[in-house]
């Protein structure tokens, strides 16, 4: 057998595709948000059976996949264009590689092949507490950085849209993009059931979050739907309306009656305003 044939025969097995890749992890909704639309945020996970911590970052310097900090803490970046079938496995592979590296070393993006997922490596009983940052100054915490690093930091900070995590509900993030403001709210529910519930609310005129805060569409990411509202207000003005909407949504989700004609039309309209990100 020639070298080419041997290499082909030794091709690494790939993980099967998983749509809802973060399911079963603490902070699933926040992980989706940090990967897809929150510019700058961090949270800490603990390795199972260990005191060593993993800092999960929306973005790392140079859009890196991971690095080992001088103090030994492992940082992983979520907004990295790797997807070898199961993003949870991709991220776990970065951690596995980082555990073998000396402090100060970056972790390359590669296909990790079949192996443990994040759900297998981290303590899933520990809380996942997100800290949203105004920019990326945390990159240089406790680091003697070069002039080039500071220049990179300034460029990154200029791209970070102001973002606030709502405290009253899970998975909801307000952001200001130019002159427009939005609330993007990741939902943990089955897509079909959520669409039915939103259709019931829309037909009843109850899918808003206050005066002039209207549902404009949604996108699909990592097996979940993320409805999007446009607003003129700040994040604080949405806290109470979000709690009230959550109650209306819960009631609509519990309603298993057939949709009316008006509700079916509303559902079709909502489905037509979906965009799949992952």
């Amino acid at each position: 057998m020639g070298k080419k044939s041997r290499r082909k025969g030794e091709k690494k097995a790939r993980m099967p595709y998983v749509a809802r890749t973060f399911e079963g992890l603490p902070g699933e909704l926040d992980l989706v948000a940090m990967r897809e639309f929150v510019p700058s945020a961090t949270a800490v996970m603990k390795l199972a059976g260990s005191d060593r911590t993993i800092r999960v970052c929306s973005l790392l310097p140079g859009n890196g996949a991971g690095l080992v900090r001088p103090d030994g803490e492992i940082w992983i970046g979520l907004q990295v264009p790797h997807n070898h079938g199961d993003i949870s496995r991709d991220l776990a592979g970065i951690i596995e590689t980082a555990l073998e590296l000396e402090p100060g070393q970056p972790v390359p993006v590669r296909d990790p092949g079949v192996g443990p997922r994040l759900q297998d490596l981290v303590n899933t009983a520990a809380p996942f507490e997100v800290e949203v940052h105004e920019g990326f100054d945390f990159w240089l915490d406790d680091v003697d950085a070069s002039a080039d690093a500071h220049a990179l930091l300034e460029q990154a900070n200029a791209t970070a849209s102001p973002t606030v995590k709502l405290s009253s509900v899970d998975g909801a993030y307000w952001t200001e993009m130019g002159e427009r403001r939005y609330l993007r709210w990741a939902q943990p529910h089955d897509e079909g059931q959520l669409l039915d519930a939103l259709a019931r609310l829309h037909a009843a005129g109850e899918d808003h979050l206050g005066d002039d805060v209207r549902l404009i569409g949604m996108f699909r990411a990592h097996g979940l739907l993320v409805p999007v509202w446009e607003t003129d207000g700040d994040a604080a003005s949405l806290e109470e309306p979000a709690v009230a909407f959550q109650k209306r949504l819960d009631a609509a989700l519990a309603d298993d009656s057939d949709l009316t004609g008006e509700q079916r039309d509303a559902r079709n309209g909502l489905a037509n305003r979906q965009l799949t990100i992952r």
Side-chain angles (χ1 to χ4, degrees):
M1 181 184 293
K3 291 183 178 179
K4 184 176 181 180
S5 298
R6 285 199 299 271
R7 285 198 299 270
K8 183 176 181 181
E10 295 168 0
K11 185 176 180 179
K12 183 182 296 184
R14 296 187 64 178
M15 290 287 285
Y17 173 72
V18 177
R20 193 168 171 177
T21 189
F22 299 124
E23 186 175 15
L25 286 168
E28 178 189 10
L29 305 182
D30 295 311
L31 285 165
V32 171
M34 289 171 66
R35 179 166 169 95
E36 298 303 337
F37 55 83
V38 175
S40 181
T42 57
V44 173
M45 289 179 161
K46 288 189 175 181
L47 281 177
S50 170
D51 291 331
R52 195 162 183 180
T53 58
I54 309 296
R55 186 169 297 274
V56 181
C57 307
S58 55
L59 190 70
L60 290 180
N63 202 25
L67 57 86
V68 183
R69 294 276 289 179
D71 62 2
E73 185 177 55
I74 295 171
W75 286 14
I76 60 174
L78 290 178
Q79 294 179 18
V80 178
H82 51 46
N83 188 347
H84 299 101
D86 182 354
I87 293 170
S88 179
R89 169 57 190 153
D90 291 343
L91 295 169
I94 291 167
I95 294 172
E96 289 177 321
T97 300
L99 288 170
E100 303 298 324
L101 296 177
E102 294 295 324
Q105 296 297 306
V107 184
V109 175
R110 62 182 179 84
D111 183 347
V114 175
R117 310 171 72 233
L118 273 181
Q119 289 86 337
D120 303 312
L121 292 186
V122 304
N123 179 359
T124 57
F128 189 83
E129 299 178 354
V130 176
E131 180 179 1
V132 177
H133 304 275
E134 292 185 2
F136 299 93
D137 290 1
F138 69 90
W139 284 352
L140 303 186
D141 287 349
D142 303 320
V143 172
D144 185 12
S146 65
D148 287 344
H150 281 284
L152 178 64
L153 174 63
E154 289 184 12
Q155 293 175 8
N157 282 344
T159 68
S161 300
T163 300
V164 177
K165 180 179 176 4
L166 267 60
S167 60
S168 56
V169 294
D170 293 332
Y173 291 81
W174 171 96
T175 189
E176 185 173 25
M177 304 176 70
E179 297 181 352
R180 306 182 76 172
R181 299 172 176 181
Y182 302 97
L183 180 74
R184 292 175 284 197
W185 189 350
Q187 297 286 334
H189 312 291
D190 171 81
E191 179 179 334
Q193 293 176 339
L194 180 59
L195 279 174
D196 283 353
L198 289 174
R200 296 181 194 278
L201 294 179
H202 183 78
E206 295 291 337
D207 61 349
H208 59 81
L209 289 174
D211 294 339
D212 299 323
V213 185
R214 62 190 184 91
L215 180 65
I216 60 172
M218 64 191 72
F219 58 88
R220 184 186 295 109
H222 309 292
L224 300 179
L225 287 182
V226 183
V228 181
W229 288 261
E230 186 166 10
T231 177
D232 291 329
D234 58 13
S237 70
L238 297 175
E239 295 284 4
E240 289 187 11
V243 172
F245 175 83
Q246 183 68 70
K247 293 178 180 178
R248 298 196 301 272
L249 179 63
D250 289 343
L253 285 165
D255 185 348
D256 60 0
S257 63
D258 291 338
L259 296 180
T260 66
E262 183 182 7
Q263 291 168 346
R264 286 196 298 273
D265 289 343
R267 191 187 196 282
N268 290 335
L270 290 168
N272 289 335
R273 286 185 281 162
Q274 287 183 24
L275 173 68
T276 299
I277 294 181
R278 292 287 188 276

